[in-house]
Amino acid sequence: RSQPQRGVGPRGRWQGVVAPAVASVAMFGLPFGMGADGFGMGGMGGGRTFEQRYRVYPLSFIDKAHLENGDKIILPPSALERLASLHIDYPMLFEVSNQAAGRSSHCGVLEFSGEEGHAYIPYWMMENLVLSEGELVNLRSVSLPKGTFVKLQPHSKDFLDISNPKAVLETTLRNYSCLTLGDTICVHYNATKFYIDIKELKPAEAVTIIETDCEVDFAPPLDYVPPTAQPAQAPAPAPAPQYKIFKRGRSGRGKGKEGEPAAGASSTPEAPKFSAFQGGAARLDGKAIKARSPSASPGGAAAAAAAARSPPVPVPAAKRQAGDGARARAVP
């Protein structure tokens, strides 16, 4: 109270507020209201919205390539001071846009240790925004709703061949703070990069996935080829019967004119049947053998016919005389 007042009137009231702000900006060697690249700080007249333009570079430029598997960026310390003065709600989420290409995405911030006027972002995000090293990007603080549903589409069907793709995806999404419709995120697994498109989001086109239960669905991979339905094959026709052709020989017995079997004749020769005792017989005395009935023996008829056809076997005279004498003695 003993100190004199700083001013009288409206100008004196704002003098004690503006002076500290000018001093804080002067610490970085920047004129008040201007960024490192000569662009407006933003947020000074926009309420509690942080907006700034930075020159963008990949994370590998500051030896933080391990952050490529996520959506966290690194900003300069001046951004932290500005965000603290605006009382931005946590978690701090930003909209990153390339106004020249009309592309935008969303991200979170990891730390404020970058060079003044520079922003370091993942390289996959630079590809989505069609940005090259050193180009200008617009950064604006936003508040996003919590996601309830996300639909993903892998570029390659090899991602589905992973032993547990759900666990791999859950581990990867822990490094993400938000998702944007139309973005292509990168999943690193066993030194392999798998690119996945964000095809659908609910309840908005950009959502945060921090501390939320989000349902995940998969669309068929881009290189997936559905199996084509094969037409039903007709049953194979039955093989045509094969006939044996008989050529006409010298004797035309049992055959037709052109060497074909005669009518009623079998095309296949019958197998010979076994018949016992088919030979001829003869008596020792030279007399004819009487024919037996066919029922007397299996080969009786055949033997009788053979005996009738065969000539009598000559008997020696000595044996014939001996036989006659024996019959004479036997007759009383």
Side-chain angles (χ1 to χ4, degrees), residues 55 128 130 157 168-169 236 254-255 269 278 283 286 315 323:
R55 294 198 179 274
N128 288 339
V130 197
K157 59 184 178 182
V168 173
L169 187 61
K255 296 183 181 180
Q278 295 184 0
R283 291 173 58 94
V315 181

Side-chain angles (χ1 to χ4, degrees), residues 316-330:
K319 290 184 178 182
R320 188 169 53 253
Q321 292 176 3
D324 297 340
R327 282 195 301 272
R329 286 192 302 269

